[in-house]
């Protein structure tokens, strides 16, 4: 179990030039909005999360877990780690693309407006997936 102090130390360490260049590439070259600094949240909603540590980059799938019908927690699942010394940007990009593809597969079409939505913003109405916007609209109507 890593301690909070160790976490703080790792975060305080500067990234290697290799990792920094990978980070900049992801921030500027992907066709998605990117948020975050040392941890990048790519896409809105997040399609993939890339965590940079001092000598490696970990790629995570943003998987959601339902707790209540309206409350979810983010439980990212690790898809792999690319080491700055033995790995390459190509490997990192391949992992990122695979993770995005996996994430998009979990999206469903809203049965009301047809928009493809992340599972965490979909509810259900009479057993059909309906997005949050459409559910909100309904609540206003009734
Ligand atoms: Zn909808």
């Amino acid at each position: 179990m890593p301690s909070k102090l160790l976490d703080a130390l790792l975060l305080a360490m500067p990234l290697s030039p290799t990792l920094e260049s990978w980070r900049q590439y992801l921030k500027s070259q992907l066709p998605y909005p990117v948020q975050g600094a040392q941890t990048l949240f790519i896409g809105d909603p997040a399609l993939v999360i890339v965590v940079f540590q001092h000598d490696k980059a970990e790629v995570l799938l943003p998987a959601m877990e339902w707790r209540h019908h309206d409350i979810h927690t983010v439980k990212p699942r690790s898809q792999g780690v690319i080491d700055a010394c033995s790995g390459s940007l190509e490997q990192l990009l391949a992992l990122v693309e695979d993770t995005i593809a996996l994430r998009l597969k979990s999206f469903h079409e809203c049965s009301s407006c047809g928009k493809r939505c992340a599972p965490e913003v979909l509810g259900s109405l009479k057993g059909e997936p309906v997005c949050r916007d459409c559910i909100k609209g309904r609540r206003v109507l009734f």
Side-chain angles (χ1 to χ4, degrees), residues 4 8 10 18 28 35 38 43 60 65 81 90-91 93 97 101 103 113 115 136 141:
K4 284 232 152 56
L10 285 175
T18 309
S28 59
Q35 291 180 336
Q38 200 131 352
L60 302 162
E65 212 168 68
V81 175
E90 285 67 35
Q91 286 175 331
L93 289 175
E97 302 253 308
R103 171 78 162 135
C113 68
K115 199 169 74 181
K136 263 191 213 146
L141 283 178

Side-chain angles (χ1 to χ4, degrees), residues 58-122:
E58 183 170 21
V59 178
L60 302 162
L61 175 72
M64 302 294 163
E65 212 168 68
W66 288 94
R67 298 181 71 95
H68 250 274
H69 55 260
D70 225 22
I71 304 166
H72 63 264
T73 46
V74 186
K75 277 263 174 103
R77 284 208 305 268
S78 181
Q79 302 297 298
V81 175
I82 307 290
D83 190 275
C85 300
S86 59
S88 66
L89 177 60
E90 285 67 35
Q91 286 175 331
L92 178 63
L93 289 175
L95 198 55
V96 165
E97 302 253 308
D98 285 356
T99 304
I100 290 174
L102 202 62
R103 171 78 162 135
L104 287 175
K105 258 192 235 168
S106 75
F107 280 35
H108 293 283
E109 217 166 82
C110 169
S111 63
S112 176
C113 68
K115 199 169 74 181
R116 275 191 86 78
C117 299
E120 67 271 16
V121 301
L122 284 171

